[in-house]
Amino acid sequence: MHTRIPRPVRRGAVGVVALTALLALAGCSSDGDAEAKAKPTQSTSGKKATATTDSQASTPSEGPSAPASKGPVLPDAKLSPATGSFTANEKKYLSGRVPVDMDPAAVLQTGQETCQRIERTAAHDKNAAIGAIISGDLPEADAAIKQLCPKQQPLLDAAATGFADGTRKNPEPGTYQALTTAAGCTWQAMGEEGKVLAAGPGTGAGKKVTAEIPAGTRTFVSTGCYAWLPA
């Protein structure tokens, strides 16, 4: 039986109808018609994520892809299933990730399900999958992709060029696109002493939102925009 793993609280912006629906679809059980069961829902509350504060693009490994276990873990020599064996890449994924009181196969299943959600979401909308990696909606996506589903590496590479909704210090100048078409996405690019250099209101549901970050921007703040990628 396929175990459904609950999705973590969204670190990205709220109110992202299309992306929420796609991730809900990707998280469905493989039994039955997932598309028929998935229905878009409008989120009305949640936590806004804060992006990293350096001038480089944030990488997925800096957030949700860190090892899940912070306590004692099984040594690599004891990483073996009740029956059969793990592949070399599966062992790499499990290394330092399995609590001493947990079945390694259960931890591996979590990573495999993350890969399945990435693949299913990307099949409908690659930008939705990339945004979910950036925002942290897909737990431990970095390690899962590198060791369990390397065919999805292009999505991880794309996510490394973007950043999450929220506050970002010293962003690279350029044109960026929000990975949402929900109404209410707003942004400001501010220079020294908080002077507003550029700003953009939401353009309404169904329309793409772009932000022009000028040279000299010290702080870029966005709300309701989920995640950003270079345009």
Side-chain angles (χ1 to χ4, degrees):
M1 178 180 294
H2 183 77
T3 303
R4 180 175 177 179
I5 304 299
R7 292 178 294 148
V9 175
R10 170 167 294 180
R11 293 171 51 212
V14 297
V16 188
V17 180
L19 298 180
T20 300
L22 284 173
L23 289 174
L25 171 62
C28 288
S29 168
S30 59
D31 298 328
D33 186 351
E35 290 192 40
K37 297 177 182 177
K39 295 182 179 179
T41 56
Q42 176 83 32
S43 175
T44 56
S45 63
K47 183 187 295 183
K48 182 176 69 175
T50 300
T52 54
T53 58
D54 59 17
S55 61
Q56 302 299 319
S58 60
T59 60
S61 61
E62 292 173 343
S65 59
S69 177
K70 296 182 180 179
V73 297
L74 285 177
D76 290 357
K78 293 187 177 181
L79 293 176
S80 58
T83 59
S85 61
F86 293 129
T87 66
N89 282 346
E90 289 172 344
K91 287 183 178 180
K92 288 180 181 179
Y93 174 79
L94 293 171
S95 180
R97 191 170 253 102
V98 183
V100 294
D101 57 349
M102 184 173 289
D103 181 0
V107 177
L108 177 61
Q109 181 180 349
T110 299
Q112 291 170 332
E113 290 177 348
T114 295
C115 281
Q116 290 171 1
R117 292 182 63 196
I118 293 170
E119 292 164 355
R120 292 172 185 170
T121 303
H124 289 268
D125 186 340
K126 287 185 178 181
N127 277 348
I130 294 169
I133 293 172
I134 293 173
S135 67
D137 281 344
L138 295 170
E140 303 192 14
D142 187 10
I145 289 175
K146 288 180 178 179
Q147 304 301 337
L148 303 178
C149 49
K151 289 183 179 180
Q152 304 305 318
Q153 183 66 39
L155 299 178
L156 192 62
D157 293 341
T161 68
F163 53 90
D165 189 41
T167 300
R168 185 170 182 79
K169 297 293 186 179
N170 301 315
E172 289 290 334
T175 304
Y176 294 83
Q177 180 179 324
L179 298 184
T180 179
T181 55
C185 170
T186 60
W187 59 272
Q188 282 189 330
M190 293 173 284
E192 297 289 349
E193 300 181 353
K195 179 181 179 181
V196 177
L197 304 179
T203 55
K207 297 182 180 180
K208 293 181 180 180
V209 178
T210 59
E212 295 288 344
I213 300 181
T217 298
R218 296 291 176 264
T219 305
F220 179 80
V221 180
S222 66
T223 302
C225 302
Y226 192 60
W228 295 91
L229 277 181

